[in-house]
């Protein structure tokens, strides 16, 4: 399992700039090589403990109505006792260090091109007792199954845990290299990384993976973001209900830093 320590990046003034500032750094290049070869990357120490504590507190306060199995048009069931919901981009969740983290954006731009966008943003919540998910990809093949595995990535999923992803709380099992497979094969070697708070895990939309069981008594939420090529839109997770790809107040875009504005270039107000 390959992990990239991003601590040195955030000691540098370059980390205050755009993601492009970090694309030539050695840690991001290593993460990119792992992403291309294995279909995933783990970036350690991308967010400070203080900010993560604020996010966890805000999530508990603002989204407590989702902490049950009750159906809702504003969340999407994605497995047993698991839900996907939009996060309003305000307070900590509207902090550019979260939705446009310099290390994550640099890696996304290497993998997807300079015009990569933030396609969707929200949370995945695994409740206590949630069973293991079925093995899946985050989206269907773009073209013929023989061609799709040969292409560069078109979208990435980023998971930023608000409590540690581990064997007890649940994590995500990945099949390294499976973004190049025509179909899943659970007999092949897999990994189930521990992802501490303040670190994140990214994977190619084509990578086979599944959420593991939550064996604890704690809710396990993680912030998720989909970064994509500008022409791509997730065709699966927003077909039903009223949950949004991106949720923000009317004046949010006017406050997005210049170095992150291109992430929203697909939206009418920024096109």
């Amino acid at each position: 399992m390959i992990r990239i320590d991003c601590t040195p990046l955030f000691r540098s003034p370059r980390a205050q700039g755009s993601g492009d500032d970090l694309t030539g750094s050695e840690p991001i290049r290593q993460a990119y090589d792992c992403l291309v070869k294995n279909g995933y990357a783990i970036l350690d120490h991308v967010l400070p403990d203080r900010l993560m504590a604020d996010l966890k507190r805000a999530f508990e306060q603002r989204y407590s109505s989702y902490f049950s199995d009750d159906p809702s048009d504003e969340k999407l069931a994605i497995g047993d006792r698991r839900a996907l919901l939009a996060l309003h981009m305000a307070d900590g969740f509207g902090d550019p260090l979260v939705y446009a983290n310099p290390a994550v954006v640099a890696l996304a731009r290497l993998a997807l091109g300079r015009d990569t966008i933030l396609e969707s943003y929200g949370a995945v919540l695994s409740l206590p007792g949630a069973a293991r998910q079925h093995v899946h990809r985050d989206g269907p093949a773009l073209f013929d199954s023989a061609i799709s595995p040969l292409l560069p990535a078109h979208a990435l999923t980023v998971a930023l845990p608000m409590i540690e992803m581990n064997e007890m709380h649940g994590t995500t099992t990945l099949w390294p290299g499976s973004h190049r497979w025509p179909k899943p094969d659970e007999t092949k070697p897999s990994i189930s990384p521990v992802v501490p708070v303040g670190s994140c895990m990214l994977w190619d939309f084509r990578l086979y993976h599944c959420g593991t069981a939550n064996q604890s008594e704690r809710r396990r939420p993680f912030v998720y973001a989909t970064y994509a090529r500008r022409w791509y839109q997730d065709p699966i997770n927003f077909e039903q209900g009223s949950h949004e790809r991106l949720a923000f107040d009317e004046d949010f875009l006017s406050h997005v830093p210049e170095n992150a504005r291109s992430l929203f270039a697909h939206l009418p107000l920024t096109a």
Side-chain angles (χ1 to χ4, degrees), residues 73-190:
D73 285 341
E74 296 179 355
K75 65 180 180 180
L76 176 69
I78 55 172
D80 175 65
R81 297 180 64 77
R82 295 175 192 273
L84 181 150
L85 57 136
L87 287 174
H88 196 78
M89 300 180 81
D91 303 321
F93 297 112
D95 189 328
L97 195 58
V98 181
Y99 69 77
N101 184 272
V104 173
V105 171
L107 180 53
R109 286 176 174 162
L110 278 177
L112 304 171
R114 291 177 58 85
D115 62 348
T116 185
I117 60 168
L118 180 61
E119 194 270 343
S120 60
Y121 181 73
V124 172
L125 176 63
S126 171
L127 296 173
R132 179 181 183 265
Q133 273 185 315
H134 69 284
V135 177
H136 64 284
R137 287 172 159 167
D138 283 333
L142 290 181
F143 307 107
D144 179 86
S145 59
I147 297 174
S148 291
L150 305 177
L151 299 174
H154 58 273
L156 304 175
T157 298
V158 179
L160 178 72
M162 286 181 263
I163 69 168
E164 184 174 88
M165 295 170 68
N166 57 32
E167 183 179 2
M168 285 301 298
H169 302 147
T171 182
T172 300
T173 295
L174 312 172
W175 278 263
S178 61
H179 59 314
R180 306 298 186 193
W181 296 357
K183 60 183 179 180
D185 184 352
E186 294 186 51
T187 67
K188 296 287 183 66
S190 64

Side-chain angles (χ1 to χ4, degrees), residues 1-226:
M1 186 188 308
I2 300 172
R3 309 184 73 107
I4 308 300
D5 185 0
C6 292
T7 303
L9 297 178
F10 291 93
R11 291 175 180 158
S12 166
R14 293 194 307 166
Q16 304 305 315
S18 71
D20 284 339
D21 292 336
L22 301 180
T23 54
S25 67
E26 185 60 25
I28 298 304
R29 287 288 175 177
Q30 291 176 358
Y32 173 67
D33 289 344
C34 184
L35 182 65
V36 171
K37 179 180 179 180
N38 298 304
Y40 78 91
I42 301 171
L43 304 181
D44 285 321
H45 309 118
V46 296
L47 285 175
D49 292 343
R50 173 196 53 78
L51 178 53
M52 294 309 305
D54 290 345
L55 291 181
K56 177 66 163 52
R57 184 163 48 250
F59 187 81
E60 294 284 341
Q61 291 172 351
R62 296 188 60 152
Y63 298 99
S64 60
S65 61
Y66 297 104
F67 298 168
S68 73
D69 280 333
D70 296 339
S72 168
D73 285 341
E74 296 179 355
K75 65 180 180 180
L76 176 69
I78 55 172
D80 175 65
R81 297 180 64 77
R82 295 175 192 273
L84 181 150
L85 57 136
L87 287 174
H88 196 78
M89 300 180 81
D91 303 321
F93 297 112
D95 189 328
L97 195 58
V98 181
Y99 69 77
N101 184 272
V104 173
V105 171
L107 180 53
R109 286 176 174 162
L110 278 177
L112 304 171
R114 291 177 58 85
D115 62 348
T116 185
I117 60 168
L118 180 61
E119 194 270 343
S120 60
Y121 181 73
V124 172
L125 176 63
S126 171
L127 296 173
R132 179 181 183 265
Q133 273 185 315
H134 69 284
V135 177
H136 64 284
R137 287 172 159 167
D138 283 333
L142 290 181
F143 307 107
D144 179 86
S145 59
I147 297 174
S148 291
L150 305 177
L151 299 174
H154 58 273
L156 304 175
T157 298
V158 179
L160 178 72
M162 286 181 263
I163 69 168
E164 184 174 88
M165 295 170 68
N166 57 32
E167 183 179 2
M168 285 301 298
H169 302 147
T171 182
T172 300
T173 295
L174 312 172
W175 278 263
S178 61
H179 59 314
R180 306 298 186 193
W181 296 357
K183 60 183 179 180
D185 184 352
E186 294 186 51
T187 67
K188 296 287 183 66
S190 64
I191 59 173
S192 300
V194 171
V195 186
V197 173
S199 298
C200 70
M201 181 162 59
L202 307 86
W203 59 86
D204 189 308
F205 241 47
R206 298 168 295 179
L207 193 76
Y208 285 106
H209 64 283
C210 69
T212 66
N214 183 348
Q215 304 178 72
S216 74
E217 297 301 316
R218 301 180 65 185
R219 295 179 289 270
R220 193 229 56 201
F222 66 71
V223 177
Y224 91 87
T226 296

